[in-house]
Amino acid sequence: MGNLNARQIKCLKLLWNEQQFRSAGYLAEKLHVSDKTVLQDLKVIQEYLNPFHVTLIRKTGSGIYLPEKVRGNQELLRSLESDWEEMSPMSTECRRQEITKRMLLMDETGLSIQKLSEEFYVSRASIVNDFKYIERWGGQYGLSLVKRRNGRGLAGPEKGIRHAIAAWIRENNPSKNTEITPGEYMTSREDSRLMPTGFFTEEEVSLSGEMMEYLAEESGHPISEPYYSYLRDHILICISRVRRKRFIAPGEEHALDAQPVQLSYARGLLAMLRRSWEVPEQEIYYLYKYLISSDMGLKEHGKVQSCGVEEGENLDLARKVSKELTACVLKALRITVDDDSKLMNGLLKHVRPMLNRMKYDIHIQSSILADTQENYGELLGLCQSALWCITQKYSLKEVSLNEVSYIATYYQAMLEAKRMEKRILVVSNSGYGTTQLLVTKLRQYFPMYQVVDVVSMIELEKRTDLDKIDFLLSTMPLENVSVPYILVSAVMSEADVRNIQDTVSANWTEGEFSLEHFREQYENGRLELYTVEHMESSLNRCRSPYQERKFSWGHCLQAIIGIHTENRTSIHRRKEETDVWYLVTHACTYDEILEQLPEAYLMLCSPKGRKLLERCYKTEDLEGVFE
């Protein structure tokens, strides 16, 4: 708006929305300025309107009026829409958030297009577009836009309203992603996360905190993230809706063969609500489904509790999902982990409530997603791809990336644990002092590795336990040894430290580097390598009539996987960008895709695999890889 300041813009907006003459005094009162200031602003506004051949109408005793025909001036309209949007203290996104919140809070009344247009200083057409956007958004939760006595509002089942409120909080509260540790739950920081939303009173927030304390006390352990935040949100939503006498209708929520532990917690929460309000019995199942979708009641003396039929089926499915996912991921990482390890048990305890969250359409936010994408993007993409195959196989809903980020941390932890288990044998013919310096620096820079022993070249030839050694660290070249070795100087320089880091990182894993499925595809002409320029035609040829999905595997790889009539894979790369790769792989069944995913990870994400491929640009070049 070039030569108009913020006050003059607001004055023009007032005139635009008025349907009658208004005095300078009326405008001054609205703008909180003097009549003289308004008259000066009107001169500037008239100069702005002159290029559009628009003249303000002035009538003695009546005031100023913007002619009706102005609203048909498309050139002026486009200019005003653009500039008003840019200068508005509230963006389109923020305006829609605010209107959506009001609709969710209003049970009987509605919002007027005209009043919203006047309040936000935008055209009626903009508000109509806002309503269309909100209607699409609400449709995800079974809500629709309806006419009410004072305008438009959102209507639908109470369960849908509550899901929508939770989603609004999740989408519009950045501090939601703040990790909260045990002992901080009742601090002002946690309460301040909920108060600014505008949905809840201070009394409601306080009561929700008391309920969370009750759950922690009854279960005997603090409630951890990601469960704490979404559990408290939904308890708080329940409190707020019950206070306003908005109840879950009979039939909206039900639980068959409910788990006794979580059901008893839900009854305790219901009793706390009934201290202040009359609450129907069906509200217990709304609370129950969020408890069963968290880790509540799953940790009792380190053992999995006994369960009923429904939860028994969930446990069986959780074991299948965990087993198949783990088989795929650990094969890609080339490590083995005991089935009864703490990390594997922890994974199972996470997958069980995750399946309930998927069943009940309960969504969590991940406070670690951004960091996981940045630091472990390839592993995150592998887990997401494998879980997609597993959910398709068992006809389950897709696992959200927020959920996958927590799953990926279990495997990264397994990886780090294996790295700490590495056993190193030092081979040195140097003097005692030099050898001790080498060992000291080794322990200083790599405290996670176990230095098994220090031996001479002659003593090395007599060792019979090399199968239990992961690496040899030697100050002299070695020949005919069955264990990988790293050559270092006797004083271990900085270059040696970097060499150890790079070598161990690339080669420390237990399993053999195997590409048997890709080798079979290559030998049968179903594995191809192209430059990116050939990608479009390849994608069209491989396009499947069945399910397929695209996933990002960190910064290095974009993968498309899906079902096709045969096992076929194509890899694409840019000639000038060796770090950008594209994988398109299809198979006849999801199990076959799960078999191929580890090999895709090894070939395209591991240092050894990328080194094998770095000089390959066409299919014929792959011969050297499989040799």
Side-chain angles (χ1 to χ4, degrees):
M1 247 186 202
N3 57 342
L4 295 188
N5 60 34
R7 186 185 64 250
Q8 292 158 354
I9 293 170
K10 189 173 182 180
C11 183
L12 180 52
K13 289 177 180 178
L14 282 171
L15 291 171
W16 181 274
N17 290 317
E18 289 294 336
Q19 302 297 316
Q20 56 185 312
F21 283 91
R22 290 297 185 182
S23 67
Y26 172 87
L27 296 173
E29 183 180 353
K30 291 288 186 181
L31 296 169
H32 304 291
V33 295
S34 67
D35 292 7
K36 182 178 179 181
T37 298
V38 167
L39 293 174
Q40 291 173 342
D41 285 345
L42 289 173
K43 291 180 182 179
V44 178
I45 291 171
Q46 183 58 68
E47 291 178 3
Y48 174 83
L49 294 174
N50 285 336
F52 301 100
H53 308 291
V54 173
T55 303
L56 292 173
I57 301 174
R58 300 170 183 267
K59 182 183 290 188
T60 304
S62 297
I64 305 99
Y65 177 65
L66 195 64
E68 186 69 30
K69 65 179 181 180
V70 167
R71 290 153 183 79
N73 188 322
Q74 294 301 314
E75 184 181 1
L76 175 60
L77 185 62
R78 284 192 295 270
S79 175
L80 292 176
E81 283 283 349
S82 173
D83 291 336
W84 287 357
E85 191 70 40
E86 182 179 346
M87 296 298 295
S88 174
M90 181 175 287
S91 66
T92 300
E93 181 181 1
C94 291
R95 185 179 69 243
R96 288 173 175 175
Q97 291 171 4
E98 177 63 24
I99 295 173
T100 302
K101 181 177 72 174
R102 294 184 192 181
M103 285 186 170
L104 291 171
L105 284 169
M106 293 178 176
D107 298 313
E108 299 296 340
T109 58
L111 297 176
S112 160
I113 294 176
Q114 181 60 38
K115 289 183 179 179
L116 290 173
S117 172
E118 294 173 1
E119 177 182 349
F120 294 109
Y121 299 108
V122 295
S123 67
R124 291 168 57 90
S126 294
I127 300 299
V128 170
N129 287 331
D130 291 345
F131 281 176
K132 290 178 181 178
Y133 169 85
I134 293 168
E135 184 171 32
R136 290 193 299 271
W137 181 86
Q140 303 173 82
Y141 311 101
L143 307 180
S144 58
L145 205 64
V146 297
K147 288 185 178 180
R148 289 179 173 156
R149 63 173 183 266
N150 293 326
R152 300 294 178 93
L154 284 171
E158 175 63 21
K159 181 173 68 173
I161 294 288
R162 297 188 189 189
H163 276 187
I165 292 173
W168 191 97
I169 295 171
R170 189 170 63 244
E171 294 168 6
N172 301 294
N173 193 345
S175 61
K176 183 83 167 96
N177 290 332
T178 302
E179 195 73 73
I180 303 167
T181 58
E184 294 182 303
Y185 295 155
M186 294 306 297
T187 64
S188 58
R189 184 182 73 165
E190 171 64 1
D191 289 347
S192 65
R193 177 182 69 84
L194 298 162
M195 288 299 298
T197 62
F199 280 105
F200 313 114
T201 66
E202 186 175 349
E203 178 187 6
E204 292 167 353
V205 172
S206 177
L207 179 55
S208 71
E210 292 177 21
M211 288 182 164
M212 296 302 293
E213 285 186 334
Y214 159 80
L215 291 173
E217 184 178 344
E218 288 297 306
S219 64
H221 63 84
I223 306 166
S224 60
E225 289 291 357
Y227 308 115
Y228 181 89
S229 293
Y230 84 80
L231 190 54
R232 184 171 184 183
D233 286 350
H234 283 279
I235 286 175
L236 184 52
I237 290 167
C238 180
I239 295 171
S240 177
R241 299 299 288 178
V242 162
R243 182 183 64 81
R244 302 173 66 182
K245 299 187 184 301
R246 297 295 164 183
F247 305 121
I248 293 290
E252 278 194 73
E253 299 286 6
H254 65 281
L256 300 175
D257 193 32
Q259 297 308 294
V261 174
Q262 290 90 343
L263 188 60
S264 69
Y265 296 157
R267 291 194 183 281
L269 295 177
L270 192 67
M272 295 179 74
L273 285 173
R274 284 175 170 170
R275 293 175 190 171
S276 304
W277 306 285
E278 292 184 8
V279 187
E281 187 71 14
Q282 61 263 22
E283 287 288 340
I284 196 172
Y285 296 118
Y286 174 83
L287 295 168
Y288 169 80
K289 78 175 185 181
Y290 289 98
L291 294 174
I292 201 70
S293 300
S294 71
D295 61 349
M296 295 297 301
L298 296 179
K299 301 173 183 176
E300 184 179 9
H301 308 298
K303 298 179 181 179
V304 177
Q305 298 176 1
S306 59
C307 51
V309 175
E310 183 181 13
E311 185 62 10
E313 294 174 353
N314 174 273
L315 178 57
D316 289 340
L317 181 58
R319 284 173 173 154
K320 290 179 182 177
V321 171
S322 299
K323 181 178 179 179
E324 294 184 24
L325 176 63
T326 298
C328 175
V329 176
L330 295 191
K331 184 176 181 181
L333 301 178
R334 291 185 291 161
I335 61 175
T336 57
V337 177
D338 294 336
D339 291 340
D340 60 351
S341 68
K342 288 184 178 180
L343 283 169
M344 288 299 294
N345 287 329
L347 175 65
L348 178 61
K349 289 177 180 178
H350 185 96
V351 171
R352 288 180 68 194
M354 182 189 78
L355 293 176
N356 281 326
R357 290 193 290 274
M358 293 162 60
K359 176 181 178 180
Y360 295 124
D361 286 324
I362 295 173
H363 304 281
I364 62 171
Q365 285 290 93
S366 172
S367 60
I368 62 171
L369 177 57
D371 289 338
T372 306
Q373 288 175 316
E374 178 65 27
N375 298 298
Y376 311 117
E378 293 87 355
L379 178 59
L380 181 69
L382 173 65
C383 290
Q384 188 183 20
S385 303
L387 278 169
W388 180 79
C389 292
I390 294 168
T391 54
Q392 291 295 312
K393 175 182 174 181
Y394 291 109
S395 300
L396 302 173
K397 295 177 182 177
E398 187 170 338
V399 182
S400 72
L401 192 56
N402 283 289
E403 293 275 11
V404 179
S405 68
Y406 285 105
I407 294 291
T409 60
Y410 287 93
Y411 296 110
Q412 186 62 36
M414 295 175 194
L415 198 61
E416 298 299 336
K418 283 295 180 181
R419 284 177 175 168
M420 296 179 69
E421 293 176 4
K422 296 301 104 180
R423 295 164 57 86
I424 294 179
L425 181 66
V426 177
V427 182
S428 174
N429 281 348
S430 303
Y432 178 80
T434 306
T435 302
Q436 289 304 307
L437 175 62
L438 175 62
V439 172
T440 300
K441 294 186 75 172
L442 179 62
R443 287 172 173 160
Q444 174 188 348
Y445 287 107
F446 305 99
M448 72 289 292
Y449 303 142
Q450 179 185 356
V451 179
V452 176
D453 198 358
V454 180
V455 298
S456 66
M457 181 80 77
I458 296 175
E459 291 172 324
L460 175 65
E461 296 175 355
K462 300 177 182 179
R463 297 286 296 215
T464 59
D465 61 345
L466 289 184
D467 59 325
K468 297 179 181 178
I469 302 298
D470 296 295
F471 280 94
L472 298 176
L473 198 67
S474 177
T475 58
M476 65 206 79
L478 301 177
E479 295 181 358
N480 302 320
V481 290
S482 58
V483 180
Y485 86 92
I486 305 170
L487 185 63
V488 297
S489 65
V491 295
M492 202 166 79
S493 65
E494 291 185 5
D496 291 327
V497 172
R498 290 193 297 270
N499 185 34
I500 294 171
Q501 290 173 332
D502 294 341
T503 306
V504 174
S505 175
N507 299 280
W508 67 269
T509 48
E510 298 175 344
E512 293 296 325
F513 192 91
S514 173
L515 300 173
E516 57 187 272
H517 293 280
F518 279 172
R519 178 192 296 275
E520 181 182 350
Q521 286 187 346
Y522 173 72
E523 291 173 349
N524 289 285
R526 296 197 298 269
L527 176 63
E528 302 153 317
L529 176 63
Y530 299 108
T531 57
V532 170
E533 288 70 22
H534 294 85
M535 188 172 180
E536 192 65 35
S537 61
S538 177
L539 284 179
N540 291 334
R541 178 166 51 83
C542 289
R543 186 65 61 189
S544 166
Y546 306 102
Q547 281 287 94
E548 68 177 14
R549 271 294 310 272
K550 181 178 181 179
F551 300 101
S552 175
W553 289 26
H555 306 293
C556 69
L557 175 64
Q558 295 291 322
I560 296 176
I561 63 176
I563 295 296
H564 200 264
T565 55
E566 63 176 350
N567 294 339
R568 178 173 290 278
T569 300
S570 58
I571 299 169
H572 309 263
R573 65 176 296 183
R574 297 184 188 279
K575 284 185 177 181
E576 70 283 1
E577 296 179 34
T578 58
D579 61 334
V580 179
W581 298 79
Y582 300 85
L583 170 77
V584 183
T585 185
H586 293 83
C588 300
T589 68
Y590 291 110
D591 283 332
E592 290 174 322
I593 299 177
L594 286 170
E595 289 289 337
Q596 292 179 175
L597 288 178
E599 296 191 6
Y601 185 90
L602 288 169
M603 180 180 281
L604 293 162
C605 298
S606 72
K608 182 177 180 180
R610 293 297 290 276
K611 188 174 182 180
L612 288 171
L613 282 176
E614 63 183 8
R615 296 186 178 181
C616 300
Y617 289 97
K618 55 185 182 297
T619 303
E620 292 76 14
D621 298 336
L622 292 173
E623 183 178 357
V625 173
F626 294 109
E627 287 178 349

